[in-house]
Amino acid sequence: QKEVEQNSGPLSVPEGAIASLNCTYSDRGSQSFFWYRQYSGKSPELIMSIYSNGDKEDGRFTAQLNKASQYVSLLIRDSQPSDSATYLCAGGSRMTTDSWGKLQFGAGTQVVVTP
Amino acid sequence: DAGVTQSPTHLIKTRGQQVTLRCSPISGHKSVSWYQQVLGQGPQFIFQYYEKEERGRGNFPDRFSARQFPNYSSELNVNALLLGDSALYLCASSPLDSLIRYGYTFGSGTRLTVV
């Protein structure tokens, strides 16, 4: 079992609609979670971080964290063609003497926003 | 402010050769991490360095090594290259004390192709 799992997609979303991305994790020691956006051939770009249960909103993006269910989600409202990318979910491990906050990534969900 | 800078951007090597990749973190960031991203997968943790000391190592063979310099820049070395080492190598920096909130900022990466 992978430690961070995401649906690979592609997730096809009409322009202006809401894109909903899901992520589950197995490491209960994970303290914080991150959503990165990665355009084809480019490096990951951080778009949201969350470390408390509940919702966190930033512009058109809302991240949700449920530690009891080990579940993280990302909503993209008013989706635009420029949102077409792969979205990577990552969990940040707690800092120990062996590992200072390494990130464990899912394989990513490809989102395609159609005009 | 300059972001995380990596060099070279692209590299083609032959099996069995050795390669050195370089990274300069964001000014003020003392933590540098290295990740490998194979096509179609999420980034995989290789190393983390903080204050010139190794603070974490992923599940990679001893052919992979790294170091951090007094100016916090870093090098990743890979010996005896295999075809399977072909990947995007990402360097990430963090202020560490706010990692939980802000995660890592990635450089643009080095695309390594082993032939």
Side-chain angles (χ1 to χ4, degrees):
Chain A
Q1 180 188 8
K2 294 182 180 178
E3 299 196 21
V4 177
E5 298 213 41
Q6 301 179 248
N7 290 327
S8 60
L11 176 65
S12 183
V13 180
E15 184 175 356
I18 296 175
S20 178
L21 291 78
N22 303 316
C23 170
T24 58
Y25 63 95
S26 60
D27 182 4
R28 287 194 174 272
S30 296
Q31 289 185 305
S32 51
F33 299 87
F34 308 91
W35 285 98
Y36 284 85
R37 177 176 62 198
Q38 187 172 29
Y39 294 112
S40 180
K42 302 296 185 181
S43 64
E45 172 193 11
L46 181 66
I47 55 173
M48 288 289 289
S49 66
I50 186 166
Y51 55 92
S52 298
N53 277 326
D55 295 357
K56 179 181 178 182
E57 184 174 321
D58 185 359
R60 296 187 296 112
F61 299 99
T62 299
Q64 300 172 317
L65 174 59
N66 184 324
K67 291 186 178 181
S69 300
Q70 296 177 252
Y71 175 87
V72 191
S73 67
L74 179 71
L75 298 178
I76 307 173
R77 292 182 299 280
D78 187 24
S79 295
Q80 302 297 309
S82 59
D83 295 325
S84 297
T86 296
Y87 289 79
L88 298 164
C89 172
S93 64
R94 67 179 58 184
M95 293 184 182
T96 68
T97 54
D98 296 326
S99 177
W100 282 28
K102 71 178 182 180
L103 296 182
Q104 295 173 327
F105 283 86
T109 297
Q110 184 185 5
V111 172
V112 179
V113 180
T114 55
Chain B
D1 282 345
V4 179
T5 57
Q6 292 187 243
S7 64
T9 55
H10 295 84
L11 206 52
I12 299 175
K13 289 287 189 178
T14 304
R15 278 177 297 175
Q17 286 188 314
Q18 174 265 341
V19 68
T20 298
L21 311 181
R22 296 177 175 81
C23 170
S24 292
I26 291 172
S27 178
H29 288 190
K30 299 180 179 181
S31 169
V32 170
S33 297
W34 288 94
Y35 287 78
Q36 180 198 62
Q37 186 176 25
V38 174
L39 194 62
Q41 297 182 18
Q44 296 294 313
F45 173 72
I46 309 176
F47 285 110
Q48 182 176 42
Y49 276 79
Y50 179 71
E51 291 283 15
K52 303 184 295 293
E53 291 191 18
E54 181 182 305
R55 299 294 185 173
R57 172 186 283 259
N59 187 24
F60 281 81
D62 292 343
R63 299 184 296 106
F64 289 77
S65 63
R67 56 179 175 169
Q68 187 178 32
F69 299 99
N71 66 354
Y72 305 112
S73 67
S74 178
E75 287 182 351
L76 174 70
N77 295 285
V78 186
N79 293 323
L81 286 167
L82 302 175
L83 295 179
D85 296 330
S86 296
L88 179 67
Y89 288 85
L90 297 161
C91 175
S93 77
S94 165
L96 200 61
D97 56 348
S98 56
L99 173 63
I100 291 177
R101 289 178 180 268
Y102 302 115
Y104 288 114
T105 300
F106 285 91
S108 57
T110 294
R111 174 75 61 186
L112 173 64
T113 302
V114 182
V115 297

